Amino acid sequence: MPEYRQDLITGRRVIIASERTGRPDRFSFNNKGGLLPRDLPGYQEDCPFCYGNEKETPEEVAAWREGSHNDPDWQVRVVPNRFPMVELKGGAERFLASPGMGFERMNGYGIHEVIVETPEHNRHPGEFSAGQMKIVLEAYQHRLQVLSDYENLKYAQLFRNHLRQAGASVEHPHSQLVGLPFVPGEIQQELEGAYRFYLKEGICPYCYILEEEKNREERVIYQDAYFLALMPFAARLPFETWILPRKHISSFTGVFSEELTKLAEVFTEMLSRFNRLLNHPPYNLYLHTAPFHVGSLPNFHWHLEFLPRLTTEAGFEIGTGVYVNVTLPEEAAKFIKEGEVSTI
Amino acid sequence: MPEYRQDLITGRRVIIASERTGRPDRFSFNNKGGLLPRDLPGYQEDCPFCYGNEKETPEEVAAWREGSHNDPDWQVRVVPNRFPMVELKGGAERFLASPGMGFERMNGYGIHEVIVETPEHNRHPGEFSAGQMKIVLEAYQHRLQVLSDYENLKYAQLFRNHLRQAGASVEHPHSQLVGLPFVPGEIQQELEGAYRFYLKEGICPYCYILEEEKNREERVIYQDAYFLALMPFAARLPFETWILPRKHISSFTGVFSEELTKLAEVFTEMLSRFNRLLNHPPYNLYLHTAPFHVGSLPNFHWHLEFLPRLTTEAGFEIGTGVYVNVTLPEEAAKFIKEGEVSTI
């Protein structure tokens, strides 16, 4: 029997119809002859993100290196996107909370950066050392901090697309960061829902979910003193996973170095497990964090959402906003949790 | 320079970044060796929807035939989905408008039907006669009417997925109808936004958009006395198109037969143009109509939304709810409008 579930925070409904397609082990990704990162060369001559090709990108805005600034021996590099979806031109016009009568076109004001995560063309983050991953997380944090200093930027979306089936157009391992002059709809909905919960129940809904899920166990795939990785109760897609900090902290810019070290471990371990158990699936990964200039929020935890793209959203999902998930989150969690521990 | 646009009704923001990929004529669909409907056989032995294989489906709930009920010479047939995402079992539990503290699983109560649009395995609706299309529209309307009589159903989503890239798993031309015990999130947002507009401006926002778009012309691809087909100002995806009735009418169940005749013409013409000019693209199509049991609404028009799936939504879109559209709707409309008139 299919069932409806509703996300506690956003109110988003999903249909869990696990009889439709079957068990988690049927989801091993069929790449249909496409190349996996490890099958690619370590260096590709025409890749602007490869070590040695640094002059092919716009001038870097930040880099992490062992040596001096002019030393090409970098570990992580941040550059402006050559084909930006937004640009720091023209100035931010006023962005109204609700639309008016008009058909106004507004300047595409913003910043679009690429975080090149490694000099190696073929190294997926699931194979990073925890040290390399920590530098990537430091780069995320640093750039978020820099963008948050722009008065006219209200939010920045950090995200990572892996493989063409998840919308990636560049092979070389990278993340992207887009600074925007408004708080985007999904974040707004999440914050508003979390605020309603907070006012009604008197506690942060993320603190509540963390406590409940820890006790229920069935959807938790990893936990330590700092983080919980879990498949959410109302998962939209098979194997949707969230990484949540146990500590109540609303902005990723406020995470301590020691916590980033731990996050690097969880994150690499999780990616590695998914690669092994689902045969290197395409995925989208993004950060939800507090908007800029709002201080610390009582109703929100920054967190990562990881969405393997193993099924295709179709007319029902787009028309209704209700996702049909063909895997029980509890079964998906069991499958991932009980996989042999990988050797990173 | 990229630009932001905002949908007048939902407040949904999009980024139009047409420099990123280029002009509409670059969007001709590359099917990568997959078969188009016309390359398939007219009859397939193992297809339960083909003429002659009627016993392979669950018992039909409605059919349109020229002869008697037992005559296999049907034109359109409606059957229950063999792998339903919802089922008429257990009874509808109470569906709250906002989520509570719990992690309740609710019965997947509902009805999931398939509308088989033609006995022929390989005939895409873009190649239907206007007469055949009208019967399909009558079937849509009839089944919506039947489902609206269930006290516990609050909405039914009608949709059509075409090709695997748009989530279709069955080749034979068909639409689907899913009756739900709640008003889904996208519909709720649209109705609420339309209601805010109506209260503030004193007119139905769809009436307003129709008048504005008719005068501006640049996004209109088809119009007659009854319907406007247009690319919306804040289109989410390249070639997103809406078909709107000019007459203020909130439910599709209230459309007159004469109007269905006209709609069949617009609809077939539009699908035919897209097939010809974009090389048979994958697409999702869905109906938005008034919820059941609410009577006539002052702030809403039923309408069809057509979304070709030529690009892939990725982490940015999923994380923010903001779509990045790489085609200007005005250029896409020009491209479709100026294509030679097809001979249906």
Side-chain angles (χ1 to χ4, degrees):
Chain A
M1 178 83 192
E3 62 185 58
Y4 299 113
R5 296 186 182 191
Q6 192 168 23
D7 185 77
L8 286 188
I9 293 165
T10 56
R12 183 170 60 208
R13 290 186 199 275
V14 300
I15 297 174
I16 312 281
S18 54
E19 293 92 346
R20 281 198 114 198
T21 299
R23 303 295 161 188
D25 56 3
R26 293 192 49 190
F27 275 95
S28 187
F29 176 55
N30 177 0
N31 197 22
K32 298 197 181 74
L35 289 174
L36 294 174
R38 61 179 171 197
D39 302 322
L40 299 169
Y43 169 79
Q44 200 153 296
E45 202 177 328
D46 62 355
C47 172
F49 299 153
C50 273
Y51 182 78
N53 300 346
E54 293 77 9
K55 63 185 182 311
E56 301 301 326
T57 67
E59 199 174 352
E60 77 186 26
V61 294
W64 282 254
R65 336 179 117 75
E66 306 226 310
S68 73
H69 183 74
N70 291 320
D71 189 340
D73 189 15
W74 52 273
Q75 293 157 290
V76 171
R77 219 173 151 243
V78 183
V79 297
N81 194 307
R82 275 196 299 182
F83 307 101
M85 60 171 87
V86 292
E87 288 178 66
L88 212 53
K89 280 187 197 163
E93 296 184 15
R94 183 165 164 69
F95 283 84
L96 300 165
S98 65
M101 289 287 280
F103 291 76
E104 295 91 358
R105 302 171 172 204
M106 294 168 272
N107 280 336
Y109 179 88
I111 294 179
H112 188 172
E113 298 183 340
V114 178
I115 295 130
V116 186
E117 299 160 342
T118 166
E120 293 176 84
H121 195 76
N122 62 354
R123 188 172 294 273
H124 182 268
E127 295 164 359
F128 282 2
S129 67
Q132 179 71 19
M133 184 60 100
K134 187 178 174 190
I135 301 176
V136 172
L137 297 175
E138 284 172 347
Y140 288 175
Q141 197 179 45
H142 170 70
R143 297 314 301 169
L144 269 170
Q145 186 66 58
V146 169
L147 266 57
S148 75
D149 286 341
Y150 284 79
E151 194 191 344
N152 287 330
L153 295 181
K154 307 299 184 203
Y155 192 80
Q157 183 61 56
L158 180 82
F159 61 101
R160 181 176 215 286
N161 302 325
H162 182 56
L163 297 183
R164 188 179 48 75
Q165 294 86 343
S169 53
V170 169
E171 284 172 352
H172 194 111
H174 70 286
S175 301
Q176 298 179 68
L177 183 66
V178 178
L180 299 165
F182 55 85
V183 178
E186 283 290 312
I187 314 298
Q188 199 180 328
Q189 272 195 13
E190 207 169 299
L191 290 169
E192 287 175 0
Y195 198 59
R196 275 194 297 272
F197 188 100
Y198 174 73
L199 291 178
K200 191 174 158 215
E201 309 294 348
I203 60 165
C204 163
Y206 295 89
C207 290
Y208 173 72
I209 287 172
L210 281 160
E211 187 62 26
E212 285 288 317
E213 293 289 13
K214 188 169 65 71
N215 294 336
R216 289 166 192 250
E217 284 184 354
E218 60 184 347
R219 284 178 293 271
V220 175
I221 60 174
Y222 179 97
Q223 59 177 310
D224 63 21
Y226 298 87
F227 295 99
L228 227 66
L230 57 84
M231 308 226 168
F233 173 71
R236 289 164 284 182
L237 297 174
F239 300 96
E240 174 172 357
T241 299
W242 297 352
I243 299 181
L244 291 151
R246 297 174 84 142
K247 188 170 87 173
H248 180 91
I249 172 169
S250 57
S251 174
F252 188 71
T253 53
V255 178
F256 296 141
S257 176
E258 167 193 356
E259 293 163 339
L260 288 186
T261 304
K262 283 294 179 184
L263 180 59
E265 283 172 24
V266 187
F267 195 14
T268 313
E269 165 65 16
M270 198 193 74
L271 291 174
S272 163
R273 269 183 195 237
F274 278 104
N275 279 348
R276 189 163 46 80
L277 295 169
L278 297 175
N279 194 27
H280 296 261
Y283 64 82
N284 303 114
L285 177 86
Y286 52 85
L287 175 73
H288 277 179
T289 184
F292 300 156
H293 324 301
V294 299
S296 171
L297 302 176
N299 57 322
F300 195 68
H301 286 214
W302 71 265
H303 60 276
L304 291 166
E305 301 193 3
F306 175 81
L307 286 167
R309 297 287 293 275
L310 299 160
T311 53
T312 304
E313 296 87 89
F316 180 79
E317 285 86 348
I318 302 172
T320 60
V322 176
Y323 278 77
V324 180
N325 182 349
V326 292
T327 304
L328 273 172
E330 296 75 22
E331 284 186 10
K334 189 161 184 279
F335 180 77
I336 295 295
K337 196 162 49 184
E338 292 181 358
E340 291 167 57
V341 177
S342 64
T343 51
I344 303 167
Chain B
M1 178 82 191
E3 61 186 59
Y4 299 113
R5 296 187 181 189
Q6 192 167 24
D7 184 76
L8 286 188
I9 293 165
T10 57
R12 182 170 58 207
R13 290 186 199 277
V14 301
I15 298 175
I16 311 283
S18 54
E19 294 91 346
R20 281 199 113 197
T21 301
R23 303 294 164 192
D25 56 4
R26 293 190 50 191
F27 275 96
S28 186
F29 176 55
N30 176 359
N31 197 23
K32 299 196 181 76
L35 290 173
L36 294 174
R38 61 180 171 198
D39 302 323
L40 297 170
Y43 168 79
Q44 199 153 296
E45 202 178 329
D46 62 354
C47 173
F49 299 153
C50 273
Y51 182 79
N53 299 347
E54 292 77 10
K55 65 187 180 310
E56 301 302 324
T57 67
E59 200 175 352
E60 76 187 26
V61 294
W64 282 254
R65 336 180 117 77
E66 306 223 311
S68 72
H69 182 75
N70 291 321
D71 190 339
D73 189 16
W74 51 273
Q75 294 156 290
V76 171
R77 220 174 150 243
V78 183
V79 297
N81 194 307
R82 273 196 301 181
F83 307 100
M85 59 171 88
V86 291
E87 288 177 66
L88 212 53
K89 280 187 197 166
E93 296 184 16
R94 184 166 163 69
F95 283 83
L96 301 164
S98 64
M101 290 286 280
F103 291 76
E104 294 91 359
R105 303 171 172 201
M106 294 167 274
N107 280 337
Y109 179 89
I111 293 179
H112 188 171
E113 297 184 341
V114 177
I115 295 131
V116 186
E117 299 159 343
T118 165
E120 291 176 84
H121 195 75
N122 62 354
R123 187 172 294 274
H124 183 268
E127 296 162 1
F128 282 3
S129 68
Q132 178 72 16
M133 185 61 101
K134 186 175 174 190
I135 301 177
V136 172
L137 297 175
E138 285 173 345
Y140 289 175
Q141 196 179 45
H142 170 70
R143 296 315 300 169
L144 270 169
Q145 187 65 58
V146 169
L147 266 57
S148 76
D149 286 340
Y150 284 80
E151 191 190 347
N152 287 330
L153 296 181
K154 307 297 184 205
Y155 193 79
Q157 183 61 57
L158 179 81
F159 61 102
R160 182 176 216 286
N161 303 325
H162 181 57
L163 296 184
R164 187 178 48 76
Q165 294 87 342
S169 53
V170 168
E171 284 171 353
H172 196 110
H174 70 287
S175 302
Q176 299 178 68
L177 183 66
V178 178
L180 298 165
F182 55 85
V183 178
E186 283 291 312
I187 313 300
Q188 199 180 329
Q189 272 193 17
E190 207 169 298
L191 290 170
E192 287 176 0
Y195 198 60
R196 275 193 297 273
F197 187 101
Y198 173 74
L199 291 178
K200 192 174 158 215
E201 310 294 348
I203 60 165
C204 162
Y206 295 90
C207 290
Y208 173 72
I209 287 172
L210 282 160
E211 187 62 25
E212 284 289 316
E213 293 289 13
K214 188 169 65 70
N215 294 336
R216 290 163 190 253
E217 285 184 353
E218 59 183 348
R219 284 179 293 272
V220 174
I221 60 174
Y222 178 97
Q223 58 178 309
D224 63 21
Y226 297 88
F227 295 99
L228 228 64
L230 57 86
M231 308 228 169
F233 173 70
R236 289 164 286 182
L237 297 174
F239 299 96
E240 174 172 357
T241 299
W242 297 351
I243 299 180
L244 291 151
R246 296 173 87 143
K247 187 170 88 173
H248 181 90
I249 172 169
S250 56
S251 175
F252 188 71
T253 52
V255 178
F256 295 142
S257 176
E258 166 193 356
E259 293 162 338
L260 288 186
T261 303
K262 283 294 179 184
L263 180 59
E265 282 171 25
V266 187
F267 195 16
T268 312
E269 166 64 18
M270 197 192 74
L271 290 173
S272 164
R273 270 185 196 236
F274 278 104
N275 279 349
R276 190 164 44 81
L277 295 168
L278 298 174
N279 193 27
H280 295 261
Y283 64 82
N284 303 114
L285 176 87
Y286 51 85
L287 175 74
H288 276 179
T289 183
F292 299 156
H293 323 301
V294 300
S296 171
L297 302 175
N299 58 321
F300 195 69
H301 286 213
W302 71 266
H303 60 277
L304 290 166
E305 302 193 3
F306 175 80
L307 286 167
R309 296 287 292 276
L310 298 161
T311 54
T312 304
E313 297 87 88
F316 180 79
E317 284 86 348
I318 302 172
T320 61
V322 177
Y323 278 77
V324 180
N325 182 348
V326 292
T327 304
L328 275 170
E330 296 75 23
E331 286 188 8
K334 189 162 185 279
F335 180 77
I336 295 295
K337 196 163 47 187
E338 292 181 357
E340 292 168 55
V341 176
S342 66
T343 49
I344 301 167

